[in-house]
Coordinates of all heavy atoms in Angstrom, one line a residue:
M10 N -65.4 26.2 5.6 CA -64.3 27.0 5.0 C -63.5 26.0 4.2 O -63.0 25.0 4.6 CB -63.5 27.6 6.1 CG -62.2 28.3 5.5 SD -61.1 28.8 6.8 CE -61.6 30.5 7.0
N11 N -63.3 26.3 2.9 CA -62.5 25.5 2.0 C -61.2 26.2 1.8 O -61.0 27.2 1.2 CB -63.2 25.3 0.7 CG -62.4 24.4 -0.3 OD1 -61.2 24.2 -0.1 ND2 -63.2 23.8 -1.2
W12 N -60.1 25.6 2.4 CA -58.8 26.2 2.5 C -58.3 26.5 1.1 O -57.8 27.6 0.8 CB -57.9 25.3 3.2 CG -56.8 26.0 4.0 CD1 -57.0 26.8 5.1 CD2 -55.5 26.1 3.6 NE1 -55.9 27.3 5.5 CE2 -54.9 26.9 4.6 CE3 -54.7 25.6 2.6 CZ2 -53.5 27.2 4.6 CZ3 -53.3 25.9 2.6 CH2 -52.8 26.7 3.6
E13 N -58.3 25.6 0.1 CA -57.8 25.8 -1.2 C -58.5 26.9 -1.9 O -57.9 27.7 -2.6 CB -57.8 24.4 -2.0 CG -56.8 23.4 -1.5 CD -56.9 22.1 -2.3 OE1 -57.3 22.2 -3.5 OE2 -56.6 21.1 -1.8
T14 N -59.9 26.9 -1.9 CA -60.7 27.9 -2.5 C -60.4 29.3 -2.0 O -60.2 30.2 -2.7 CB -62.2 27.6 -2.4 OG1 -62.4 26.2 -2.9 CG2 -63.0 28.5 -3.2
D15 N -60.3 29.4 -0.6 CA -60.0 30.7 0.0 C -58.6 31.2 -0.5 O -58.5 32.4 -0.7 CB -60.0 30.5 1.5 CG -61.4 30.3 2.0 OD1 -62.4 30.6 1.3 OD2 -61.5 29.9 3.2
I16 N -57.6 30.4 -0.6 CA -56.3 30.8 -1.0 C -56.4 31.3 -2.5 O -55.8 32.3 -2.8 CB -55.3 29.7 -0.9 CG1 -55.0 29.5 0.6 CG2 -54.0 30.0 -1.6 CD1 -54.1 28.3 0.9
L17 N -57.1 30.5 -3.3 CA -57.2 30.9 -4.7 C -57.9 32.3 -4.9 O -57.5 33.1 -5.7 CB -57.9 29.8 -5.6 CG -57.1 28.6 -5.8 CD1 -57.9 27.5 -6.5 CD2 -55.8 28.8 -6.6
H18 N -58.9 32.5 -4.1 CA -59.7 33.7 -4.2 C -58.8 34.9 -3.7 O -58.8 36.0 -4.3 CB -61.0 33.7 -3.4 CG -62.0 32.9 -4.1 ND1 -62.5 33.1 -5.4 CD2 -62.7 31.8 -3.7 CE1 -63.4 32.2 -5.7 NE2 -63.5 31.4 -4.7
K19 N -58.0 34.6 -2.6 CA -57.2 35.7 -2.1 C -56.1 36.0 -3.1 O -55.8 37.2 -3.4 CB -56.5 35.2 -0.8 CG -55.6 36.3 -0.2 CD -55.0 35.9 1.1 CE -54.1 36.9 1.7 NZ -53.5 37.9 0.9
E20 N -55.5 35.0 -3.8 CA -54.5 35.3 -4.8 C -55.1 36.1 -6.0 O -54.5 37.0 -6.5 CB -53.9 34.0 -5.3 CG -52.9 33.4 -4.3 CD -52.4 32.0 -4.7 OE1 -52.7 31.6 -5.9 OE2 -51.7 31.4 -3.9
D21 N -56.3 35.7 -6.4 CA -57.0 36.5 -7.5 C -57.2 37.9 -7.1 O -57.0 38.8 -7.9 CB -58.3 35.8 -7.9 CG -58.1 34.5 -8.6 OD1 -57.0 34.2 -9.1 OD2 -59.1 33.7 -8.6
F22 N -57.6 38.1 -5.9 CA -57.9 39.5 -5.4 C -56.6 40.3 -5.3 O -56.6 41.4 -5.7 CB -58.5 39.4 -4.0 CG -58.8 40.7 -3.4 CD1 -59.8 41.5 -3.8 CD2 -57.9 41.2 -2.3 CE1 -60.0 42.8 -3.2 CE2 -58.1 42.4 -1.8 CZ -59.2 43.2 -2.2
D23 N -55.5 39.7 -4.8 CA -54.2 40.4 -4.7 C -53.7 40.8 -6.1 O -53.2 41.9 -6.3 CB -53.2 39.5 -4.0 CG -53.4 39.3 -2.5 OD1 -54.2 40.1 -2.0 OD2 -52.9 38.4 -1.9
V24 N -53.9 39.9 -7.1 CA -53.4 40.2 -8.5 C -54.3 41.3 -9.0 O -53.8 42.3 -9.6 CB -53.5 39.0 -9.4 CG1 -53.3 39.3 -10.8 CG2 -52.4 38.0 -8.9
A25 N -55.6 41.3 -8.8 CA -56.5 42.3 -9.3 C -56.2 43.7 -8.7 O -56.1 44.7 -9.3 CB -57.9 41.9 -9.1
L26 N -55.9 43.7 -7.4 CA -55.6 44.9 -6.7 C -54.3 45.5 -7.2 O -54.1 46.7 -7.4 CB -55.5 44.6 -5.2 CG -55.3 45.8 -4.3 CD1 -56.5 46.8 -4.4 CD2 -55.2 45.4 -2.8
L27 N -53.3 44.6 -7.4 CA -52.0 45.1 -8.0 C -52.2 45.7 -9.3 O -51.6 46.7 -9.6 CB -51.0 43.9 -8.0 CG -49.6 44.2 -8.5 CD1 -48.9 45.2 -7.6 CD2 -48.8 42.9 -8.6
E28 N -53.0 45.1 -10.2 CA -53.2 45.6 -11.5 C -53.9 47.0 -11.5 O -53.5 47.8 -12.2 CB -54.1 44.6 -12.3 CG -53.3 43.4 -12.7 CD -54.2 42.4 -13.4 OE1 -55.5 42.6 -13.5 OE2 -53.7 41.3 -13.9
E29 N -54.8 47.2 -10.5 CA -55.5 48.4 -10.4 C -54.5 49.5 -10.0 O -54.6 50.7 -10.4 CB -56.6 48.3 -9.4 CG -57.8 47.6 -9.9 CD -58.9 47.5 -8.9 OE1 -58.9 48.3 -8.0 OE2 -59.7 46.5 -9.0
T30 N -53.6 49.2 -9.1 CA -52.7 50.3 -8.5 C -51.4 50.5 -9.4 O -50.7 51.5 -9.1 CB -52.2 49.9 -7.1 OG1 -51.5 48.6 -7.1 CG2 -53.4 49.8 -6.2
T31 N -51.2 49.7 -10.4 CA -50.0 49.9 -11.2 C -50.2 50.9 -12.4 O -49.3 51.2 -13.1 CB -49.4 48.6 -11.7 OG1 -50.4 47.9 -12.5 CG2 -48.9 47.7 -10.6
D32 N -51.4 51.3 -12.6 CA -51.7 52.2 -13.7 C -51.7 53.7 -13.3 O -52.5 54.5 -13.7 CB -53.1 51.9 -14.3 CG -53.3 52.6 -15.6 OD1 -52.3 52.9 -16.3 OD2 -54.5 52.8 -16.0
L33 N -50.7 54.0 -12.5 CA -50.5 55.4 -12.1 C -49.7 56.2 -13.1 O -48.8 55.7 -13.7 CB -49.8 55.4 -10.7 CG -50.5 54.7 -9.6 CD1 -49.7 54.8 -8.3 CD2 -51.9 55.4 -9.3
R34 N -50.1 57.4 -13.2 CA -49.5 58.4 -14.1 C -49.0 59.6 -13.4 O -49.4 59.8 -12.2 CB -50.5 58.9 -15.2 CG -51.3 57.8 -15.9 CD -50.3 57.3 -17.0 NE -51.0 56.3 -17.8 CZ -51.7 56.5 -19.0 NH1 -51.7 57.7 -19.5 NH2 -52.3 55.6 -19.6
N35 N -48.1 60.4 -14.0 CA -47.6 61.6 -13.4 C -48.2 62.8 -14.1 O -48.2 62.8 -15.3 CB -46.1 61.6 -13.6 CG -45.4 60.5 -12.8 OD1 -45.8 60.1 -11.7 ND2 -44.4 59.9 -13.4
L36 N -48.6 63.8 -13.3 CA -49.0 65.1 -13.8 C -47.7 65.9 -13.7 O -47.3 66.2 -12.6 CB -50.1 65.6 -13.0 CG -50.6 67.0 -13.4 CD1 -51.1 67.0 -14.9 CD2 -51.8 67.5 -12.5
V37 N -47.2 66.3 -14.9 CA -46.0 67.1 -14.9 C -46.2 68.5 -15.4 O -46.9 68.7 -16.3 CB -45.0 66.4 -15.9 CG1 -43.7 67.1 -16.0 CG2 -44.7 64.9 -15.4
V38 N -45.6 69.5 -14.7 CA -45.7 70.9 -15.1 C -44.3 71.3 -15.5 O -43.3 70.9 -14.9 CB -46.1 71.8 -13.9 CG1 -46.1 73.2 -14.3 CG2 -47.6 71.4 -13.5
Y39 N -44.3 72.0 -16.7 CA -43.0 72.4 -17.3 C -42.8 73.9 -17.1 O -43.7 74.7 -16.9 CB -43.1 72.1 -18.8 CG -43.3 70.7 -19.1 CD1 -44.5 70.1 -19.3 CD2 -42.2 69.8 -19.2 CE1 -44.7 68.8 -19.5 CE2 -42.3 68.5 -19.4 CZ -43.6 67.9 -19.6 OH -43.7 66.6 -19.9
N40 N -41.5 74.2 -17.1 CA -41.1 75.6 -16.9 C -41.4 76.4 -18.2 O -41.5 75.9 -19.3 CB -39.6 75.6 -16.7 CG -39.1 77.0 -16.3 OD1 -39.8 77.8 -15.6 ND2 -37.9 77.4 -16.7
D41 N -41.7 77.7 -18.0 CA -41.9 78.6 -19.1 C -41.3 80.0 -18.6 O -40.9 80.2 -17.5 CB -43.3 78.7 -19.5 CG -44.2 79.2 -18.4 OD1 -43.8 80.1 -17.6 OD2 -45.4 78.8 -18.3
D42 N -41.3 80.9 -19.5 CA -40.7 82.2 -19.2 C -41.9 83.2 -19.1 O -41.6 84.5 -19.1 CB -39.8 82.7 -20.4 CG -38.6 81.8 -20.5 OD1 -38.1 81.3 -19.4 OD2 -38.0 81.7 -21.6
V43 N -43.1 82.8 -18.8 CA -44.2 83.7 -18.8 C -44.8 83.8 -17.4 O -45.0 84.9 -16.9 CB -45.3 83.1 -19.7 CG1 -46.6 84.0 -19.7 CG2 -44.8 83.0 -21.2
N44 N -45.0 82.7 -16.7 CA -45.7 82.7 -15.4 C -44.8 83.1 -14.3 O -43.6 82.6 -14.2 CB -46.4 81.4 -15.2 CG -47.5 81.1 -16.1 OD1 -48.5 81.8 -16.1 ND2 -47.3 80.1 -17.0
T45 N -45.3 83.8 -13.3 CA -44.6 84.2 -12.1 C -44.6 83.0 -11.1 O -45.5 82.1 -11.2 CB -45.2 85.4 -11.4 OG1 -46.5 85.1 -10.9 CG2 -45.3 86.6 -12.4
F46 N -43.6 83.1 -10.2 CA -43.6 82.1 -9.1 C -44.9 82.1 -8.4 O -45.5 81.0 -8.1 CB -42.4 82.4 -8.2 CG -41.1 81.9 -8.7 CD1 -40.4 82.6 -9.6 CD2 -40.6 80.7 -8.2 CE1 -39.1 82.2 -10.0 CE2 -39.4 80.2 -8.7 CZ -38.6 81.0 -9.6
D47 N -45.4 83.3 -8.0 CA -46.6 83.4 -7.2 C -47.8 82.7 -8.0 O -48.6 82.0 -7.4 CB -46.9 84.8 -6.9 CG -46.0 85.4 -5.8 OD1 -45.4 84.6 -5.1 OD2 -45.9 86.6 -5.8
H48 N -47.9 83.0 -9.3 CA -49.0 82.4 -10.0 C -48.9 80.9 -10.0 O -50.0 80.2 -9.8 CB -49.0 82.9 -11.5 CG -50.0 82.3 -12.4 ND1 -51.4 82.5 -12.2 CD2 -49.9 81.4 -13.4 CE1 -52.1 81.8 -13.1 NE2 -51.2 81.1 -13.8
V49 N -47.8 80.3 -10.2 CA -47.6 78.8 -10.2 C -47.9 78.3 -8.9 O -48.7 77.3 -8.7 CB -46.2 78.4 -10.7 CG1 -46.0 76.9 -10.6 CG2 -45.9 78.9 -12.1
I50 N -47.4 78.9 -7.8 CA -47.7 78.4 -6.5 C -49.2 78.5 -6.2 O -49.7 77.5 -5.7 CB -46.9 79.3 -5.4 CG1 -45.4 79.0 -5.5 CG2 -47.4 79.0 -4.0 CD1 -44.5 80.0 -4.8
E51 N -49.8 79.6 -6.4 CA -51.3 79.7 -6.2 C -52.1 78.7 -7.0 O -53.0 78.1 -6.5 CB -51.7 81.1 -6.5 CG -51.2 82.2 -5.6 CD -51.5 83.6 -6.0 OE1 -52.4 83.8 -7.0 OE2 -50.9 84.5 -5.5
T52 N -51.7 78.4 -8.2 CA -52.4 77.5 -9.1 C -52.2 76.1 -8.5 O -53.2 75.3 -8.5 CB -51.9 77.6 -10.5 OG1 -52.1 78.9 -11.0 CG2 -52.6 76.6 -11.4
L53 N -51.0 75.7 -8.1 CA -50.8 74.3 -7.6 C -51.6 74.1 -6.3 O -52.1 73.0 -6.0 CB -49.3 74.1 -7.3 CG -48.4 74.0 -8.6 CD1 -47.0 73.8 -8.2 CD2 -48.9 72.8 -9.5
I54 N -51.7 75.2 -5.5 CA -52.5 75.0 -4.3 C -54.0 74.8 -4.6 O -54.6 73.9 -4.1 CB -52.3 76.3 -3.4 CG1 -50.9 76.3 -2.8 CG2 -53.4 76.3 -2.3 CD1 -50.5 77.6 -2.1
K55 N -54.5 75.6 -5.5 CA -55.9 75.6 -5.9 C -56.3 74.3 -6.7 O -57.3 73.6 -6.4 CB -56.3 76.8 -6.7 CG -56.4 78.0 -5.9 CD -56.8 79.2 -6.7 CE -56.7 80.5 -5.9 NZ -56.9 81.7 -6.7
V56 N -55.5 74.0 -7.7 CA -55.8 72.9 -8.6 C -55.4 71.5 -8.1 O -56.2 70.6 -8.1 CB -55.1 73.1 -10.0 CG1 -55.3 71.9 -10.9 CG2 -55.7 74.4 -10.6
C57 N -54.2 71.4 -7.5 CA -53.7 70.1 -7.1 C -53.9 69.9 -5.6 O -53.5 68.8 -5.1 CB -52.2 70.0 -7.4 SG -51.9 70.1 -9.2
G58 N -54.3 70.9 -4.8 CA -54.5 70.7 -3.4 C -53.2 70.6 -2.6 O -53.1 70.1 -1.5
H59 N -52.2 71.3 -3.1 CA -50.9 71.3 -2.5 C -51.0 72.2 -1.2 O -51.7 73.2 -1.2 CB -49.8 71.9 -3.4 CG -49.3 70.9 -4.4 ND1 -48.1 71.0 -5.1 CD2 -49.9 69.7 -4.9 CE1 -47.9 70.0 -5.9 NE2 -49.0 69.2 -5.8
T60 N -50.1 72.0 -0.3 CA -49.9 72.9 0.8 C -49.0 74.0 0.2 O -48.4 73.9 -0.9 CB -49.1 72.3 2.0 OG1 -47.8 71.9 1.5 CG2 -49.9 71.1 2.6
A61 N -48.9 75.2 0.9 CA -48.0 76.3 0.4 C -46.6 75.8 0.2 O -45.9 76.1 -0.8 CB -48.1 77.4 1.3
E62 N -46.1 75.0 1.2 CA -44.8 74.5 1.1 C -44.5 73.5 -0.1 O -43.5 73.7 -0.8 CB -44.4 73.8 2.4 CG -43.0 73.3 2.5 CD -42.6 72.7 3.8 OE1 -43.4 71.9 4.4 OE2 -41.5 73.0 4.4
Q63 N -45.5 72.6 -0.3 CA -45.4 71.7 -1.4 C -45.3 72.5 -2.7 O -44.5 72.2 -3.6 CB -46.6 70.8 -1.5 CG -46.6 69.6 -0.6 CD -47.9 68.8 -0.8 OE1 -49.0 69.3 -0.6 NE2 -47.7 67.5 -1.2
A64 N -46.3 73.5 -2.9 CA -46.4 74.2 -4.1 C -45.1 75.0 -4.3 O -44.6 75.1 -5.5 CB -47.6 75.2 -4.0
E65 N -44.5 75.6 -3.3 CA -43.3 76.4 -3.4 C -42.1 75.5 -3.9 O -41.3 75.8 -4.7 CB -42.9 77.1 -2.1 CG -41.8 78.0 -2.2 CD -41.5 78.7 -0.9 OE1 -42.5 79.0 -0.2 OE2 -40.3 79.0 -0.6
Q66 N -42.0 74.3 -3.2 CA -40.9 73.3 -3.6 C -41.1 72.9 -5.1 O -40.1 72.8 -5.8 CB -40.9 72.1 -2.7 CG -40.5 72.5 -1.3 CD -40.6 71.4 -0.3 OE1 -41.3 70.4 -0.6 NE2 -40.0 71.5 0.9
C67 N -42.3 72.6 -5.5 CA -42.5 72.1 -6.9 C -42.2 73.3 -7.8 O -41.6 73.0 -8.9 CB -44.0 71.7 -7.1 SG -44.4 70.1 -6.4
T68 N -42.6 74.5 -7.5 CA -42.3 75.6 -8.3 C -40.8 75.8 -8.5 O -40.3 76.1 -9.6 CB -42.9 76.9 -7.8 OG1 -44.4 76.7 -7.7 CG2 -42.7 78.1 -8.6
M69 N -40.0 75.6 -7.4 CA -38.6 75.8 -7.5 C -38.0 74.7 -8.4 O -37.1 74.9 -9.2 CB -37.9 75.7 -6.1 CG -38.3 76.8 -5.2 SD -37.8 78.4 -5.9 CE -36.1 78.5 -5.4
L70 N -38.5 73.5 -8.3 CA -38.0 72.4 -9.2 C -38.4 72.6 -10.6 O -37.6 72.4 -11.5 CB -38.6 71.0 -8.7 CG -38.1 70.5 -7.4 CD1 -38.9 69.3 -6.9 CD2 -36.6 70.0 -7.6
I71 N -39.6 73.1 -10.8 CA -40.0 73.5 -12.2 C -39.0 74.5 -12.8 O -38.6 74.4 -13.9 CB -41.5 74.0 -12.2 CG1 -42.4 72.9 -11.9 CG2 -41.8 74.6 -13.6 CD1 -43.8 73.4 -11.5
H72 N -38.7 75.5 -12.0 CA -37.8 76.6 -12.5 C -36.4 76.1 -12.7 O -35.8 76.4 -13.8 CB -37.8 77.7 -11.4 CG -36.9 78.9 -11.8 ND1 -37.3 79.7 -12.9 CD2 -35.7 79.3 -11.4 CE1 -36.3 80.6 -13.0 NE2 -35.4 80.4 -12.1
Y73 N -35.8 75.4 -11.8 CA -34.4 75.0 -11.9 C -34.2 73.7 -12.7 O -33.1 73.5 -13.3 CB -33.8 74.9 -10.5 CG -33.6 76.2 -9.9 CD1 -34.4 76.6 -8.8 CD2 -32.7 77.1 -10.4 CE1 -34.2 77.9 -8.3 CE2 -32.5 78.4 -9.9 CZ -33.2 78.8 -8.8 OH -33.1 80.0 -8.3
K74 N -35.2 72.8 -12.7 CA -35.0 71.5 -13.4 C -35.7 71.4 -14.7 O -35.6 70.5 -15.5 CB -35.5 70.3 -12.5 CG -34.7 70.2 -11.2 CD -33.3 69.6 -11.5 CE -32.6 69.3 -10.2 NZ -31.3 68.8 -10.4
G75 N -36.6 72.4 -14.9 CA -37.4 72.4 -16.2 C -38.7 71.8 -16.1 O -39.6 72.0 -17.0
K76 N -38.9 70.9 -15.1 CA -40.2 70.3 -15.0 C -40.3 69.6 -13.6 O -39.3 69.5 -12.9 CB -40.5 69.2 -16.0 CG -39.5 68.0 -16.0 CD -39.8 67.0 -17.1 CE -38.9 65.8 -17.0 NZ -39.3 64.8 -18.0
C77 N -41.5 69.3 -13.2 CA -41.7 68.6 -11.9 C -43.0 67.8 -11.9 O -44.0 68.3 -12.4 CB -41.7 69.6 -10.8 SG -42.0 68.9 -9.1
T78 N -43.0 66.6 -11.4 CA -44.2 65.9 -11.2 C -44.9 66.5 -10.0 O -44.4 66.5 -8.9 CB -43.9 64.4 -11.0 OG1 -43.3 63.8 -12.1 CG2 -45.2 63.6 -10.6
V79 N -46.1 67.0 -10.2 CA -46.8 67.7 -9.2 C -47.9 66.8 -8.6 O -48.4 67.1 -7.5 CB -47.4 69.0 -9.7 CG1 -46.3 70.0 -10.1 CG2 -48.4 68.8 -10.8
K80 N -48.3 65.7 -9.2 CA -49.3 64.9 -8.7 C -49.2 63.5 -9.4 O -48.8 63.4 -10.5 CB -50.7 65.4 -9.0 CG -51.8 65.0 -8.1 CD -51.7 65.6 -6.8 CE -53.0 65.4 -6.0 NZ -53.0 66.0 -4.7
V81 N -49.5 62.4 -8.6 CA -49.5 61.1 -9.2 C -50.9 60.5 -8.9 O -51.5 60.7 -7.9 CB -48.4 60.2 -8.4 CG1 -48.5 58.8 -8.9 CG2 -47.0 60.8 -8.7
G82 N -51.4 59.8 -10.0 CA -52.7 59.2 -9.8 C -53.1 58.6 -11.1 O -52.3 58.5 -12.1
S83 N -54.4 58.1 -11.2 CA -54.8 57.5 -12.4 C -55.1 58.6 -13.5 O -55.2 59.8 -13.1 CB -56.2 56.8 -12.2 OG -57.2 57.7 -11.9
F84 N -55.1 58.2 -14.7 CA -55.4 59.1 -15.8 C -56.7 59.9 -15.5 O -56.7 61.1 -15.7 CB -55.4 58.4 -17.2 CG -55.6 59.4 -18.3 CD1 -54.6 60.1 -18.8 CD2 -56.9 59.6 -18.8 CE1 -54.7 61.0 -19.9 CE2 -57.1 60.5 -19.9 CZ -56.0 61.2 -20.4
E85 N -57.7 59.2 -15.1 CA -59.0 59.9 -14.9 C -58.9 60.9 -13.8 O -59.5 61.9 -13.8 CB -60.0 58.8 -14.5 CG -60.4 57.9 -15.7 CD -61.0 58.7 -16.9 OE1 -61.8 59.7 -16.7 OE2 -60.6 58.5 -18.0
E86 N -58.1 60.6 -12.7 CA -57.9 61.6 -11.6 C -57.2 62.8 -12.1 O -57.5 63.9 -11.6 CB -57.2 60.9 -10.5 CG -57.9 59.8 -9.7 CD -57.0 59.1 -8.7 OE1 -55.8 58.9 -9.0 OE2 -57.5 58.7 -7.7
L87 N -56.2 62.6 -12.9 CA -55.3 63.7 -13.3 C -55.9 64.6 -14.5 O -55.5 65.7 -14.7 CB -54.0 63.2 -13.7 CG -53.3 62.4 -12.6 CD1 -51.9 61.9 -13.1 CD2 -53.1 63.3 -11.3
K88 N -56.8 64.0 -15.3 CA -57.2 64.7 -16.5 C -57.8 66.0 -16.2 O -57.5 67.0 -16.9 CB -58.3 63.8 -17.2 CG -58.8 64.3 -18.5 CD -59.6 63.3 -19.3 CE -60.7 62.7 -18.5 NZ -61.6 61.9 -19.3
G89 N -58.7 66.1 -15.2 CA -59.3 67.4 -14.9 C -58.3 68.4 -14.4 O -58.4 69.6 -14.7
M90 N -57.4 67.9 -13.6 CA -56.3 68.8 -13.0 C -55.5 69.4 -14.2 O -55.1 70.6 -14.2 CB -55.4 68.1 -12.0 CG -56.1 67.8 -10.7 SD -54.9 67.0 -9.7 CE -56.0 66.1 -8.6
C91 N -55.1 68.5 -15.1 CA -54.3 68.9 -16.3 C -55.0 70.0 -17.1 O -54.5 71.0 -17.4 CB -54.0 67.7 -17.1 SG -52.7 68.1 -18.4
T92 N -56.3 69.8 -17.3 CA -57.1 70.8 -18.0 C -57.2 72.1 -17.2 O -57.0 73.2 -17.8 CB -58.6 70.3 -18.2 OG1 -58.5 69.1 -19.0 CG2 -59.4 71.3 -18.9
S93 N -57.3 72.1 -15.9 CA -57.4 73.3 -15.1 C -56.0 74.0 -15.2 O -56.0 75.2 -15.2 CB -57.7 72.9 -13.7 OG -59.0 72.5 -13.6
L94 N -54.9 73.3 -15.2 CA -53.6 73.9 -15.3 C -53.4 74.6 -16.6 O -52.9 75.7 -16.7 CB -52.5 72.8 -15.1 CG -52.4 72.2 -13.7 CD1 -51.4 71.1 -13.7 CD2 -52.0 73.3 -12.6
H95 N -53.9 74.0 -17.7 CA -53.9 74.6 -19.0 C -54.7 75.9 -19.0 O -54.3 76.9 -19.6 CB -54.4 73.6 -20.1 CG -53.5 72.5 -20.3 ND1 -53.9 71.3 -20.9 CD2 -52.2 72.3 -20.1 CE1 -52.9 70.5 -21.0 NE2 -51.8 71.0 -20.5
Q96 N -55.9 75.8 -18.4 CA -56.7 77.0 -18.3 C -56.1 78.2 -17.5 O -56.4 79.3 -17.8 CB -58.1 76.7 -17.7 CG -58.9 75.8 -18.6 CD -60.1 75.3 -17.9 OE1 -60.3 75.3 -16.7 NE2 -61.1 74.7 -18.7
K97 N -55.1 77.8 -16.7 CA -54.4 78.8 -15.9 C -53.1 79.2 -16.6 O -52.1 79.8 -16.0 CB -54.1 78.3 -14.5 CG -55.3 78.1 -13.7 CD -55.9 79.4 -13.2 CE -57.0 79.2 -12.2 NZ -57.5 80.5 -11.7
D98 N -52.9 78.8 -17.9 CA -51.8 79.0 -18.7 C -50.5 78.4 -18.3 O -49.4 78.9 -18.6 CB -51.6 80.6 -18.9 CG -52.7 81.2 -19.6 OD1 -53.3 80.6 -20.5 OD2 -53.1 82.4 -19.2
L99 N -50.6 77.2 -17.6 CA -49.4 76.5 -17.3 C -49.2 75.3 -18.3 O -50.2 74.8 -18.8 CB -49.5 75.9 -15.8 CG -49.6 76.9 -14.7 CD1 -49.6 76.1 -13.4 CD2 -48.4 77.8 -14.7
S100 N -48.0 75.0 -18.6 CA -47.7 73.9 -19.5 C -47.6 72.7 -18.7 O -46.8 72.5 -17.8 CB -46.4 74.2 -20.2 OG -46.0 73.2 -21.0
A101 N -48.5 71.7 -18.9 CA -48.6 70.5 -18.2 C -49.0 69.3 -19.1 O -49.6 69.5 -20.1 CB -49.7 70.6 -17.0
D102 N -48.6 68.1 -18.6 CA -49.0 66.9 -19.4 C -49.1 65.8 -18.4 O -48.5 65.8 -17.4 CB -47.9 66.7 -20.4 CG -48.3 65.8 -21.5 OD1 -49.5 65.5 -21.6 OD2 -47.5 65.3 -22.3
I103 N -49.8 64.8 -18.8 CA -49.9 63.5 -18.1 C -49.0 62.5 -18.8 O -49.1 62.2 -19.9 CB -51.4 63.0 -18.1 CG1 -52.3 64.0 -17.4 CG2 -51.4 61.6 -17.3 CD1 -53.7 63.7 -17.4
E104 N -48.1 62.0 -18.0 CA -47.1 61.0 -18.5 C -47.3 59.7 -17.9 O -47.7 59.5 -16.8 CB -45.7 61.5 -18.3 CG -45.4 62.8 -19.0 CD -43.9 63.2 -18.7 OE1 -43.2 62.7 -17.9 OE2 -43.5 64.2 -19.4

């Protein structure tokens, strides 16, 4: 076991791991005057995997605050969800 080499490899690994986890994005849903609360709640449950309580809370925030981050993840993880939300006529974006 080479102590100096092991420490350098561990530091490289920690930096690489930190770089991988800092590229997180927000999937944001915006308020509109078209969709019902029930439609938004059902869509968040189906598309984002929310519990009923999570979906209801997000829907209330969307309504009263104008938008809500409904999911956090990498761009690749969120891209499909964002597309699905658009297909359900919700206004969403990855920020």
Side-chain angles (χ1 to χ4, degrees):
M10 175 189 266
N11 185 334
W12 211 72
E13 288 181 28
T14 305
D15 290 344
I16 290 175
L17 289 175
H18 288 301
K19 181 180 179 339
E20 288 177 4
D21 289 342
F22 177 75
D23 289 344
V24 170
L26 186 61
L27 181 62
E28 288 174 356
E29 287 179 23
T30 59
T31 56
D32 191 26
L33 296 178
R34 305 282 183 94
N35 296 321
L36 178 58
V37 179
V38 175
Y39 298 93
N40 190 34
D41 61 37
D42 294 329
V43 178
N44 293 295
T45 65
F46 279 82
D47 287 340
H48 176 68
V49 176
I50 290 167
E51 290 171 15
T52 301
L53 292 176
I54 290 169
K55 288 178 185 173
V56 172
C57 299
H59 283 199
T60 64
E62 185 177 43
Q63 278 179 305
E65 186 176 329
Q66 289 173 347
C67 285
T68 301
M69 296 300 281
L70 288 170
I71 292 164
H72 180 72
Y73 288 110
K74 298 288 186 180
K76 66 180 182 177
C77 178
T78 297
V79 296
K80 202 75 164 176
V81 176
S83 70
F84 181 83
E85 290 302 316
E86 292 171 322
L87 302 178
K88 184 170 55 172
M90 288 182 206
C91 191
T92 300
S93 294
L94 292 172
H95 291 159
Q96 291 171 345
K97 296 287 190 176
D98 297 322
L99 296 184
S100 178
D102 199 10
I103 299 172
E104 297 181 350

